[in-house]
Amino acid sequence: MKSTTGEKLFYGINYIVLLLLGLSCLLPLVHILALSMSDAHAIMSGRVSFRPIGFTMESFQALFQGTRILDSLKNSITITVVGTTLAMIVTILTAYPLARKYFIGKRFFMLAFLFTMMFGGGTIPNYLIMKSLGIINTYWALWLPALVNTYNLLILRTFFVGMPEEVEDAARIDGCGEWRLLGSIILPLSLPVLATLTLFNAVGFWNSFLAVLIYINDTHLYNLTVLVQNMIQSQSVLQEVVASQMIQADDTAQITPEGIKAAGIITLMAPMVIVYPFVQKYFVKGALLGSVKG
């Protein structure tokens, strides 16, 4: 069917607007990447735009040698891997029974979960609960409240509900119990939505910031997000690097706070950017399957 002039104009405007929006998101990241790889003189003179000038990796070297970024990176990986694993296990074990017709009381539990989307206790009650449980200054204060995300639960439950009943009937005829049905039949057929929810959880835990500031008192337990934020706000990054005695004093002239901060931002973003392409093919498919069916 041939497009009319109005449709062509409409699509053309859409493409232009989307292109501008995409560039508005991409160009600042390209600028930060260029800053992290540019010579100090080029950064201080303001000549760096979207490509490195005087290519150097000294900002990254100073970042990794003069700060606790490796410890913070290890903390971020621990928070993300353990938190995502626990959240996915609990979400699956919660969504599966809620998707079964024969589960008694599923309406009550669904309403209870939906209630949490509209009303919350607030920061102070949550803190008091964590304190009463004795998990302040531990990562359990980050993991426990995020074990079940209601939005993710609804997506996964809707996907389970939309599965053909014939698949379950055939499995039961072959002698599958509930656990084997879930592990051998349901989950392998749910890889797109599981990959999508895993990405949602991983990004959430990786970017944990406010919860870390509230529940974690030991600075050695801070994750990468908090460390980079502190670096951005601090005006004494170079002094911290020099005080670490890991970079010679005569090399500090080649390092700028802006370059170190840019290197920290790139380090923070890099793991998620690397992981995303591996699950991108499942992303749209999984979200649509879990939100449209049922």
Side-chain angles (χ1 to χ4, degrees):
M1 182 176 176
K2 188 176 180 180
S3 300
T4 64
T5 304
E7 289 176 337
K8 292 180 180 179
L9 180 62
F10 175 76
Y11 291 138
I13 294 175
N14 277 344
Y15 290 144
I16 294 173
V17 171
L18 292 175
L19 177 62
L20 293 176
L21 289 176
L23 290 176
S24 68
C25 297
L26 181 62
L27 291 181
L29 301 181
V30 175
H31 176 65
I32 293 175
L33 181 62
L35 282 176
S36 67
M37 298 181 178
S38 295
D39 180 76
H41 300 294
I43 296 176
M44 290 186 292
S45 62
R47 293 186 289 119
V48 180
S49 55
F50 302 117
R51 64 181 182 85
I53 297 179
F55 181 83
T56 178
M57 299 298 289
E58 289 183 351
S59 294
F60 287 96
Q61 181 180 356
L63 176 69
F64 280 91
Q65 291 183 348
T67 66
R68 296 198 305 268
I69 194 167
L70 289 178
D71 293 334
S72 298
L73 180 61
K74 186 187 302 181
N75 294 339
S76 290
I77 293 174
T78 301
I79 293 171
T80 302
V81 173
V82 177
T84 301
T85 302
L86 292 175
M88 289 304 300
I89 291 174
V90 175
T91 301
I92 290 170
L93 296 181
T94 306
Y96 178 73
L98 292 176
R100 303 298 94 188
K101 294 181 179 179
Y102 47 82
F103 179 66
I104 300 175
K106 67 176 183 177
R107 179 177 175 82
F108 168 78
F109 289 108
M110 279 303 305
L111 291 176
F113 281 113
L114 291 174
F115 182 84
T116 63
M117 296 185 71
M118 298 178 285
F119 303 98
T123 302
I124 295 177
N126 288 337
Y127 181 86
L128 294 177
I129 292 174
M130 300 304 159
K131 185 177 181 181
S132 64
L133 293 175
I135 57 176
I136 292 295
N137 208 36
T138 69
Y139 291 145
W140 281 105
L142 308 178
W143 297 330
L144 190 60
L147 285 182
V148 178
N149 181 287
T150 306
Y151 176 75
N152 294 344
L153 173 64
L154 292 176
I155 291 178
L156 188 58
R157 175 191 172 274
T158 305
F159 182 86
F160 287 161
V161 170
M163 280 192 172
E165 295 183 2
E166 292 78 8
V167 174
E168 181 179 346
D169 294 339
R172 293 193 183 282
I173 291 175
D174 291 337
C176 281
E178 294 293 346
W179 287 105
R180 188 172 181 184
L181 174 64
L182 176 61
S184 301
I185 307 297
I186 303 297
L187 293 185
L189 295 175
S190 307
L191 285 181
V193 70
L194 292 179
T196 302
L197 298 185
T198 299
L199 180 64
F200 286 168
N201 283 305
V203 171
F205 281 112
W206 183 265
N207 292 330
S208 297
F209 176 71
L210 185 60
V212 175
L213 292 180
I214 293 175
Y215 300 124
I216 305 298
N217 301 322
D218 187 356
T219 57
H220 291 87
L221 296 178
Y222 280 175
N223 61 349
L224 192 57
T225 306
V226 174
L227 177 66
V228 171
Q229 175 64 19
N230 289 340
M231 288 172 50
I232 293 174
Q233 292 181 341
S234 174
Q235 298 300 319
S236 58
V237 179
L238 274 182
Q239 288 78 359
E240 180 182 351
V241 174
V242 174
S244 67
Q245 297 181 356
M246 291 186 178
I247 297 180
Q248 299 297 326
D250 55 358
D251 289 335
T252 57
Q254 305 301 321
I255 304 169
T256 63
E258 289 76 13
I260 297 178
K261 294 173 186 178
I265 295 173
I266 296 300
T267 304
L268 174 63
M269 293 170 46
M272 290 296 104
V273 173
I274 294 173
V275 169
Y276 181 77
F278 295 98
V279 297
Q280 188 269 341
K281 61 180 179 180
Y282 299 112
F283 189 77
V284 175
K285 182 180 179 182
L288 288 177
L289 286 174
S291 59
V292 173
K293 283 190 175 183

